[in-house]
Amino acid sequence: MSSTTTEEEPRPLSDTPTRRSRWSRLIRELWFHVIIGAVLGIAVGFLFPAVGAALTPLSDWFIALVKMIVIPVVFCVVSLGIASMDSLRRAGRVGVKALTYFIILSLLSMLIGLVAANIFKPGEGLDIDPSTLNAGAVPVDEHDSPGSVVEFVSGIIPESLFGALTGHTILAALFVSILFGSALNVSGEAGRPITRALQSLQTVVFKIVLWVMWLAPLATFGALAAVVANYGTQSLQQLGYLILIFMGTCVFYVIVVLGVIARACGMNIFSVMRYFKEELLIALSTCSSEAILPQLIKKLEALGVGKSTVGIVVPAGFSFNLDGSAVYLTMAALFLAQAVGVPLDWSQQLAIVGVMMLTSKGTAGIAGGAFIVLASTLSAVGGIPLAALALIVGIDRILNEGRVFINVLGNVMAAVVVGKWEKDFDPVIARQALARRTLT
């Protein structure tokens, strides 16, 4: 009896160290630091607007650091992914499957934005006179236009083989990485030392990534402080209905479209979001998909997606599979048409979708790419004055929150789908990884 008593008596006290250990683990989690940075940033922006407006460089510096390391990450991951494949034929097959998925999802995203704008008509009743708009407020440079197919292809090809690795264009780096990885794949024994060197380089590069990511809470603090200080609630009051409809459409897209895709892959979309909560929070606060690209690649591999599939799908996805931007483009175009009183029939609306499907693939790596695609589409289709873009300049940063969230989550699911399609995805490892993340 005495032995039983000694085992049962300490039981109430055993919860205390457990709670303490959970709290200590929570304090060490990056996502928790990001949330603290977000709360403090919003508070500073509201209470001390002058200070908040001056904190923009914190976010800018973080994004600059990320851009500094993104190209080496893409080079290492893509080159090693292709070099480790059984054959180049498989690499080509993965690429074709990824592009097929990207095109289908981009088209679906644009049609969802189109339908939502037609149902809820967020711009109807505004009756804006285009002549009263300030065209100078539209931050679009004609030199940033996506241009022709010839210009797009010319931009992918760098001046030198390793010149792409010192620039900021992901598409050019992706092109060189594919070439380099393909050459390693067919070089056999002669290429093994270079492959091992690349593996060592990748280890070093990801160590730098880890250091940079711990600056994310500061970037979040600066970004949200500046946004709240610069815009406050004025933009929300003026164009609140558009923001509400767009965010509601984003929620619908995540729960229904990505939810169905996740279920087909044997996962729950909410578990996936919990697993990638750090990356989603950082992307939301900084409005930069590139900021979480290296970490996303590592966690997808830990989720059971093959290294070679991740290496091809994810870097390509951040150039060609921007589902959130696709939803935004059609909804924003119809909002502007409704706001200035320009009627568009279904044939004209589908023409806009067709133009956007082409122009949206030419803005990878361009800051404010979705806004530039919208401007170039309005110019190409005609009817809607370009000055109408001034209506949404003030809330573009807010709308970008929804765009970035879906872009990131959409590319996560793209890697899983292509991995499952290619039989390069382990659902058992995925369930284990999601279960561990849910418990922490």
Side-chain angles (χ1 to χ4, degrees):
M1 291 292 291
S2 60
S3 61
T4 305
T5 305
T6 55
E7 285 180 337
E8 290 180 353
E9 283 179 352
R11 195 170 292 173
L13 298 176
S14 65
D15 289 340
T16 303
T18 302
R19 285 197 295 268
R20 285 176 182 171
S21 62
R22 287 178 180 175
W23 178 247
S24 63
R25 281 203 308 270
L26 183 65
I27 291 175
R28 291 195 296 269
E29 290 280 353
L30 178 59
W31 67 268
F32 183 69
H33 293 196
V34 170
I35 289 178
I36 292 175
V39 172
L40 292 176
I42 292 170
V44 169
F46 271 121
L47 299 175
F48 309 102
V51 176
L55 293 175
T56 304
L58 291 178
S59 176
D60 294 342
W61 292 337
F62 174 74
I63 293 174
L65 283 170
V66 170
K67 287 184 175 180
M68 170 192 76
I69 201 66
V70 159
I71 300 300
V73 167
V74 169
F75 177 70
C76 291
V77 169
V78 175
S79 297
L80 285 173
I82 296 176
S84 63
M85 284 186 169
D86 299 334
S87 66
L88 289 183
R89 182 179 297 177
R90 180 166 175 260
R93 194 171 64 237
V94 170
V96 169
K97 288 178 178 179
L99 287 176
T100 302
Y101 178 86
F102 296 162
I103 291 170
I104 293 172
L105 265 289
S106 292
L107 181 59
L108 177 62
S109 304
M110 287 185 178
L111 291 176
I112 287 174
L114 202 69
V115 170
N118 276 286
I119 292 174
F120 296 102
K121 303 185 187 309
E124 197 171 75
L126 291 179
D127 300 323
I128 302 293
D129 181 359
S131 63
T132 63
L133 297 172
N134 179 18
V138 180
V140 176
D141 189 336
E142 62 180 2
H143 298 296
D144 286 336
S145 175
S148 65
V149 175
V150 173
E151 291 174 347
F152 172 59
V153 175
S154 298
I156 294 176
I157 303 172
E159 293 183 2
S160 64
L161 182 64
F162 293 104
L165 306 183
T166 58
H168 295 290
T169 306
I170 288 184
L171 281 177
L174 188 60
F175 175 70
V176 168
S177 302
I178 291 171
L179 282 179
F180 199 82
S182 301
L184 282 177
N185 187 285
V186 299
S187 295
E189 196 61 38
R192 297 286 166 79
I194 299 177
T195 302
R196 287 194 293 269
L198 267 180
Q199 289 170 340
S200 299
L201 178 61
Q202 180 176 263
T203 301
V204 174
V205 165
F206 274 109
K207 181 64 70 174
I208 297 173
V209 168
L210 183 63
W211 293 342
V212 171
M213 294 307 291
W214 277 104
L215 298 176
L218 279 177
T220 301
F221 172 70
L224 292 183
V227 168
V228 173
N230 290 331
Y231 300 112
T233 58
Q234 184 177 4
S235 295
L236 289 171
Q237 291 170 350
Q238 291 174 343
L239 296 166
Y241 188 48
L242 172 61
I243 296 170
L244 182 64
I245 297 303
F246 178 70
M247 293 303 179
T249 305
C250 289
V251 171
F252 170 85
Y253 188 90
V254 168
I255 294 176
V256 177
V257 178
L258 297 182
V260 169
I261 293 172
R263 179 60 61 188
C265 295
M267 297 187 295
N268 181 288
I269 192 63
F270 296 105
S271 297
V272 174
M273 286 191 285
R274 278 195 296 269
Y275 181 77
F276 290 99
K277 60 179 175 285
E278 290 176 1
E279 292 71 29
L280 290 170
L281 283 170
I282 294 168
L284 274 173
S285 57
T286 61
C287 279
S288 172
S289 301
E290 289 181 351
I292 47 83
L293 177 59
Q295 194 70 7
L296 204 68
I297 289 170
K298 288 181 65 177
K299 290 184 76 169
L300 275 167
E301 292 174 7
L303 191 64
V305 185
K307 188 183 187 72
S308 55
T309 299
V310 172
I312 294 175
V313 175
V314 174
F318 277 95
S319 297
F320 295 104
N321 187 43
L322 305 178
D323 299 339
S325 297
V327 173
Y328 159 84
L329 288 171
T330 47
M331 184 177 289
L334 259 67
F335 166 80
L336 296 177
Q338 294 163 1
V340 298
V342 176
L344 296 174
D345 59 30
W346 276 103
S347 63
Q348 291 171 306
Q349 293 181 29
L350 292 176
I352 289 175
V353 171
V355 172
M356 286 177 173
M357 281 292 291
L358 296 174
T359 55
S360 62
K361 307 310 176 192
T363 55
I366 299 176
F371 204 84
I372 294 168
V373 170
L374 185 58
S376 62
T377 302
L378 297 186
S379 300
V381 175
I384 306 172
L386 196 62
L389 285 169
L391 289 171
I392 58 174
V393 168
I395 61 166
D396 187 65
R397 175 61 169 73
I398 299 169
L399 297 177
N400 204 20
E401 304 280 346
R403 296 201 299 257
V404 169
F405 189 92
I406 295 181
N407 289 346
V408 172
L409 199 55
N411 280 307
V412 165
M413 294 315 306
V416 173
V417 168
V418 176
K420 185 177 177 65
W421 193 357
E422 190 61 22
K423 294 181 175 57
D424 195 22
F425 169 67
D426 191 329
V428 175
I429 293 177
R431 283 194 295 271
Q432 291 172 348
L434 294 178
R436 283 196 304 270
R437 203 64 181 178
T438 303
L439 291 173
T440 56

